[in-house]
Amino acid sequence: MIPVLDALSRAFRDLFRFQVLWIVIWPILVAALLWFILGVVFWSTFSGWIASGLTAIGIQTWLEGVEPRWIAYGIQGVAHLILFVPLVFITALVITALFAMPALVHLVADRDYPQLERENNSGITGSLLNALLAIGIFIAIWLATIPLWLVGAGVVVPFIAAAYLNQRLFRYDALAEHARREEMGTIFLTCRPSLWGLGLLTGLVQFIPFFNLFAPVLAALAFVHFGLARLAELRHRPGAG
């Protein structure tokens, strides 16, 4: 756990640096604006999906009989918000991974790991493919674990899904500029428990009000520090070359 906690502490240290503050803000703003526009344009569609979901779990029928009606409308509004907020944060995570990571990697690498040579140039194509795969499996986790909600164990699903998404999104982009493919494979294999632990800890921040505004960039910084530190260790092992 020491490398995980060290990466988190370094990420917190960097989070409020002047160069990072704008990177903290703009992915959340863009994601919120995007989903606000989509919500307005496709309001009837989203409302229909939510109504179908509430019907499936037996709440919609109960809502139709609730008086006064403003209580029912309030509950439906909360359901919309419950859907909207995770979509914003997931989108902000993807935006951070695709577009903000290069700046964060350069910031961390130039100051803390200047000795590391850049030996890869996969560009945005590799990041995009990684993000698409991560989102696809993330959705599959949610769909496959729907039965857990029926037996009361669904409370663990958001944390497992957040841990998976964070480590899958950011582990690749943290190393994409510096590590060769075989180096990435070695780090991903040998550090798998630590990567999941870091994904879980950074995922927990997403569920804390106010702090969740910083969650995407905090996760990105933590994985950059963790990944580059492990790469430096790997290259300094005897016989490494």
Side-chain angles (χ1 to χ4, degrees):
M1 282 295 293
I2 293 178
V4 171
L5 296 177
D6 180 64
L8 272 176
S9 66
R10 289 173 179 267
F12 273 112
R13 178 200 66 191
D14 291 340
L15 189 60
F16 298 102
R17 294 177 64 186
F18 179 77
Q19 303 99 311
V20 177
L21 288 178
W22 175 239
I23 302 176
V24 170
I25 295 170
W26 76 260
I28 288 287
L29 291 179
V30 171
L33 179 62
L34 173 64
W35 282 107
F36 175 77
I37 293 172
L38 291 175
V40 171
V41 174
F42 298 103
W43 177 262
S44 59
T45 301
F46 290 152
S47 295
W49 290 347
I50 292 173
S52 298
L54 294 176
T55 299
I57 58 178
I59 294 179
Q60 187 67 25
T61 302
W62 172 76
L63 285 176
E64 292 174 356
V66 169
E67 295 292 344
R69 293 304 298 160
W70 65 266
I71 296 178
Y73 296 144
I75 294 174
Q76 289 174 327
V78 170
H80 283 81
L81 185 63
I82 290 174
L83 177 64
F84 177 78
V85 172
L87 288 173
V88 168
F89 282 114
I90 292 168
T91 305
L93 283 173
V94 174
I95 291 173
T96 301
L98 290 177
F99 302 108
M101 277 295 276
L104 296 174
V105 169
H106 280 276
L107 185 150
V108 172
D110 291 346
R111 189 192 64 184
D112 295 330
Y113 309 94
Q115 77 282 4
L116 280 178
E117 295 183 10
R118 290 176 167 82
E119 299 190 16
N120 196 357
N121 187 22
S122 58
I124 196 170
T125 302
S127 296
L128 181 59
L129 291 174
N130 180 67
L132 290 174
L133 181 61
I135 293 296
I137 297 178
F138 175 79
I139 293 172
I141 290 173
W142 275 97
L143 294 177
T145 54
I146 286 176
L148 293 179
W149 292 95
L150 302 178
V151 296
V155 68
V156 303
V157 174
F159 304 108
I160 295 173
Y164 170 79
L165 184 61
N166 280 357
Q167 63 90 27
R168 181 75 203 201
L169 269 179
F170 292 116
R171 70 181 189 181
Y172 176 87
D173 292 294
L175 293 168
E177 289 191 23
H178 290 80
R180 298 186 294 271
R181 185 173 297 275
E182 59 271 20
E183 290 174 325
M184 278 193 193
T186 298
I187 292 172
F188 295 165
L189 180 63
T190 59
C191 299
R192 181 173 295 172
S194 295
L195 289 167
W196 271 89
L198 190 57
L200 178 61
L201 290 175
T202 53
L204 291 176
V205 180
Q206 299 170 22
F207 299 94
I208 304 175
F210 178 72
F211 290 101
N212 52 16
L213 298 175
F214 303 92
V217 175
L218 176 65
L221 285 169
F223 276 92
V224 172
H225 277 291
F226 183 88
L228 294 184
R230 303 292 79 73
L231 180 61
E233 291 175 358
L234 180 63
R235 290 183 178 174
H236 282 86
R237 290 177 185 173

